[in-house]
Amino acid sequence: MTAGARRLLGLLRRGIDRGSLYLPIIVAGALALGTYWLVRNAPRLAVPTPKEAPTHDPDYFMRGFVVKNFLPNGELRSELAGTEGRHYADNDTMEVDQVRLRSISLQGLVTHASADRGLSNSDVSEVQLFGNAIVVRDAAVAPNGKPMPRLEFRGEFLHAFIDTERVRSDKPVTLTRGTDHFTADSMDYDNLSGVANLNGRVHGVLMPPPSATAVPNADKRKKGGAQ
């Protein structure tokens, strides 16, 4: 080996020895740069966003519909109909145009209701009637055999509770029971007890019951006196 080659080899060895001194620093720097690059380019975790409060907007519509509810034994409990219905998910209610309601109590009493607009809960056990509201309970015979005259409520607002058989209103109402007629500023009627609480300016007309047919007096003496 020539002297020049030996000199070059010596310089190379000294360079490698010096470079090996800085190798840990170079490796650590490369690792730091790699870690920084991974952090910058890693996908970010999804940040939880606050849940938006539900808005009072309809989530579906129905037109020319009838909704029926049945008792566990399969008997019809109520049916709700209208020209258009809008369901609201925030409070699980149904708003109905030209609403018509028919319900049958556990005693078999039939009640009809109608209005320009109605608002019902999910199981049609509570219905609010707005505009030209009418609720009618058909004439019937009570389980004890006593006749129950036709009962009618009219007003701009009526609140009907199907399960508890109540009708309430905080607005003027007209109540007709058979041939009797009442008006009041507000009302709370309980069909189970048969009690109607009328409040405010109350006016009523009570018609007397039909008079009994006259029965001839069997003890009346014959004309001409006793024989």
Side-chain angles (χ1 to χ4, degrees):
M1 179 179 295
T2 62
R6 287 195 296 270
R7 189 179 301 107
L8 180 60
L9 182 60
L11 292 174
L12 182 60
R13 287 177 177 174
R14 285 194 295 274
I16 292 174
D17 292 339
R18 289 179 180 178
S20 61
L21 295 176
Y22 297 100
L23 182 61
I25 299 176
I26 295 173
V27 171
L31 291 175
L33 289 174
T35 303
Y36 175 76
W37 182 87
L38 288 174
V39 171
R40 288 293 302 272
N41 293 275
R44 296 184 178 181
L45 296 176
V47 178
T49 56
K51 187 177 180 180
E52 295 183 0
T55 59
H56 191 65
D57 296 315
D59 55 351
Y60 67 82
F61 298 83
M62 296 187 294
R63 290 183 173 88
F65 69 96
V66 178
V67 176
K68 296 185 178 183
N69 286 277
F70 296 87
L71 296 173
N73 61 4
E75 294 182 357
L76 179 65
R77 174 56 169 159
S78 65
E79 56 183 12
L80 180 73
T83 57
E84 180 176 294
R86 297 169 293 277
H87 181 263
Y88 295 89
D90 61 331
N91 56 3
D92 197 16
T93 58
M94 176 72 71
E95 186 179 35
V96 183
D97 296 337
Q98 298 302 316
V99 62
R100 300 182 305 279
L101 173 67
R102 178 176 178 266
S103 67
I104 304 173
S105 71
L106 298 178
Q107 292 76 30
L109 301 177
V110 179
T111 300
H112 308 268
S114 63
D116 296 339
R117 184 172 62 91
L119 184 64
S120 169
N121 61 350
S122 58
D123 60 356
V124 198
S125 62
E126 182 179 337
V127 181
Q128 299 181 60
L129 305 169
F130 304 89
N132 298 311
I134 303 174
V135 175
V136 176
R137 189 203 67 199
D138 292 344
V141 177
N144 59 5
K146 183 180 179 181
M148 302 178 65
R150 181 179 182 272
L151 191 62
E152 178 184 285
F153 307 91
R154 287 180 177 266
E156 285 303 302
F157 171 74
L158 295 173
H159 196 165
F161 299 83
I162 306 303
D163 290 344
T164 57
E165 301 182 33
R166 301 188 73 154
V167 179
R168 295 177 179 174
S169 180
D170 57 358
K171 297 184 180 299
V173 295
T174 299
L175 167 61
T176 303
R177 181 181 183 274
T179 57
D180 300 335
H181 185 81
F182 302 89
T183 59
D185 291 335
S186 63
M187 178 200 66
D188 185 351
Y189 174 76
D190 185 350
N191 185 61
L192 297 179
S193 64
V195 175
N197 290 316
L198 304 175
N199 303 298
R201 294 169 296 178
V202 179
H203 301 277
V205 177
L206 298 174
M207 300 299 293
S211 59
T213 303
V215 179
N217 188 352
D219 296 331
K220 185 176 181 181
R221 294 184 178 181
K222 295 180 181 180
K223 292 182 179 181
Q227 298 296 323

